[in-house]
Amino acid sequence: MPATRSSRAAWAGLAIAVLLVAAAVVVPPLGHWKVQASLHTLRPFAPLAGWVDPRVGPGTPFAVLLAALGVIWGFGLARRLAWRPLLVTTYVVTAAWTLSLAFVDGSSGLTSEIVNRNEYLLTARQVHDVPALLAGFVARIPAGVPGSWPTHVAGHPPGALLLFVGLVHLGLGSAFAAALVVTLLGCTTPVAVLVALRRLGAEDVGRRVAPFLVLAPAAIWVGVSADGVFAAVAAWGLVAVAYAATSARRGPATVWALVGGLLLGCCLLLSYGLLLLAPLVLAVLLVTRRWSPLPAIAVGAAVPVLVMAALGFRLWAAYPVLNDRYWAGIAAGRPAAYWFWGDLAALVISAGPALGAGLGSLLAAGRRSPRVVRIMVAAAAASVLLADASRMSKAEVERIWLPFVPWLLLVTTCLPERWRRPMLALQVVMALLVQHLVLTNW
């Protein structure tokens, strides 16, 4: 593809992304739209769940230094390091970047939200009988009933709460310890994506996108947010599926398929919306042109769901109850006329403006782009669009859609070569601006 055409496509994608974000930020205050309820004394900053609050803090110099070093050396290290050192470096830098952004607010950047009464940890500390919790879980989803669950506990299957119950029983139930564990688990996602790509025969793609995965603005929400853990479990589940689809022998392929299914089944017990991982599972199989692992994946996914059902929590019975609570409560204050496109603007902020430029380049390249990129990005985009169309993802998608962000960022491999470093610089600038100007809920 001619360089001029590729650059024009990247410019067009970037312009659309920037205009979308600008409109999502400017339209609500100009039009006096109340797009999200807020009792906070600061000014809401739609389309993000947060408020305008400029500040600097202890993590600021570390975040700026990491951003600069990443832009200068990131591509060279990703290209030259041996594979295992690359994975280690990817994890260490991801964790350092995520924690430095969180520590812009000092240690409270990790601890303040995790002890919010609507989050999981405070409830987890009160759980002493897991079978009783599961048996009575659905009855406590509706708002206003005796013992009604807090917002996030009610809005997710019990796997999310049990994650924190486990941390409490392991002696990691303090705010700082739980937040640190959640964050460090979430930081494994870029590593999982690289492992999956290599297994799918696309190590070169992994090396090209690694800096974008590591330094994505999404790190702001991986820090402390349970959705960062959900993203990691999903990514490692897809790694297992990739191993299943590329194993030459039937036995190992079946084992990997069952493992992948189990992890993906656990995702269904962490968030109802992670049913939308299905397009990505099918995409991995399509990339390899091998469908034989699918039955074992389905069996593996069914196991945790059926075990929970035997213990008293029936996923299929819980969702309609949650749906009623959602539409009777928080959804009423979030107009679809804004959030249908405001969600996409929040996604651009979370993934970074490189998403827009990369999508433009991918569309312009067409079949000249790597096949694995076309298929995985199309699957992730389908998942996001289905979530948006469902109207169950109105607001807060900067964290809710974290499981899909790294796969969407594969588009950065299609950027023109001279665009790559400037776009990575724009990514880190976006992350630094959001973290220092917006006080997010996570």
Side-chain angles (χ1 to χ4, degrees):
M1 181 172 57
T4 53
R5 180 184 173 190
S6 178
S7 291
R8 284 198 301 267
W11 275 117
L14 179 61
I16 291 171
V18 170
L19 288 173
L20 179 64
V21 171
V25 171
V26 170
V27 166
L30 287 183
H32 303 289
W33 286 13
K34 187 176 181 181
V35 297
Q36 56 189 4
S38 175
L39 298 177
H40 206 283
T41 56
L42 301 174
R43 183 164 65 85
F45 188 82
L48 302 181
W51 304 271
V52 177
D53 184 21
R55 64 210 185 281
V56 296
T60 298
F62 298 100
V64 172
L65 178 62
L66 280 170
L69 294 177
V71 171
I72 295 169
W73 290 338
F75 294 109
L77 288 174
R79 185 172 57 252
R80 293 192 299 268
L81 284 176
W83 185 248
R84 289 184 180 178
L86 174 61
L87 296 182
V88 172
T89 303
T90 294
Y91 180 72
V92 170
V93 179
T94 300
W97 173 240
T98 303
L99 290 170
S100 67
L101 289 172
F103 270 85
V104 167
D105 295 308
S107 60
S108 66
L110 281 181
T111 59
S112 61
E113 187 59 28
I114 204 167
V115 292
N116 184 307
R117 62 183 178 84
N118 289 315
E119 291 289 337
Y120 307 97
L121 184 59
L122 296 184
T123 302
R125 291 172 179 172
Q126 302 168 19
V127 173
H128 304 289
D129 187 341
V130 171
L133 177 149
L134 295 175
F137 193 89
V138 176
R140 297 172 65 179
I141 291 176
V145 302
S148 177
W149 295 120
T151 301
H152 277 227
V153 177
H156 293 78
L161 176 59
L162 291 178
L163 167 67
F164 287 87
V165 171
L167 292 178
V168 170
H169 284 273
L170 288 171
L172 298 170
S174 71
F176 187 83
L180 187 61
V181 170
V182 165
T183 300
L184 293 178
L185 288 174
C187 289
T188 66
T189 300
V191 178
V193 174
L194 295 186
V195 172
L197 288 171
R198 191 185 199 214
R199 189 67 183 188
L200 294 173
E203 180 181 331
D204 58 329
V205 171
R207 289 180 178 274
R208 285 177 64 81
V209 303
F212 290 98
L213 297 176
V214 169
L215 296 174
I220 295 169
W221 296 278
V222 171
V224 182
S225 166
D227 295 84
V229 178
F230 305 167
V233 176
W236 287 108
L238 291 171
V239 168
V241 171
Y243 270 79
T246 53
S247 293
R249 292 184 296 163
R250 184 172 182 178
T254 301
V255 171
W256 279 115
L258 289 171
V259 170
L262 284 169
L263 289 171
L264 295 167
C266 288
C267 287
L268 298 179
L269 296 171
L270 293 170
S271 172
Y272 296 102
L274 290 185
L275 178 64
L276 292 174
L277 289 170
L280 283 165
V281 175
L282 296 176
V284 171
L285 301 179
L286 180 60
V287 168
T288 60
R289 296 185 175 91
R290 186 176 177 189
W291 300 96
S292 55
L294 190 56
I297 294 169
V299 169
V303 169
V305 174
L306 294 177
V307 168
M308 281 286 192
L311 293 173
F313 174 78
R314 294 169 177 79
L315 187 69
W316 52 90
Y319 183 76
V321 181
L322 166 66
N323 189 72
D324 291 341
R325 171 168 174 164
Y326 178 70
W327 286 106
I330 196 169
R334 294 174 172 176
Y338 173 80
W339 287 110
F340 270 137
W341 56 276
D343 279 348
L344 299 179
L347 173 65
V348 170
I349 295 174
S350 181
L355 176 62
L359 279 172
S361 298
L362 174 62
L363 292 174
R367 291 189 174 276
R368 289 181 293 272
S369 61
R371 183 170 177 271
V372 66
V373 172
R374 295 197 306 273
I375 293 173
M376 297 303 293
V377 169
S383 296
V384 163
L385 293 176
L386 286 170
D388 201 27
S390 75
R391 297 189 297 162
M392 291 295 288
S393 292
K394 292 197 295 181
E396 303 183 45
V397 299
E398 61 270 18
R399 63 167 180 85
I400 296 172
W401 289 351
L402 283 176
F404 309 112
V405 166
W407 307 102
L408 289 170
L409 282 175
L410 297 189
V411 297
T412 57
T413 196
C414 298
L415 287 169
E417 199 60 39
R418 65 189 182 90
W419 274 66
R420 292 172 57 72
R421 197 178 303 277
M423 284 310 307
L424 184 61
L426 193 56
Q427 292 284 93
V428 298
V429 168
M430 169 75 85
L432 292 169
L433 286 176
V434 171
Q435 182 61 35
H436 286 83
L437 298 178
V438 182
L439 180 64
T440 64
N441 281 358
W442 292 275

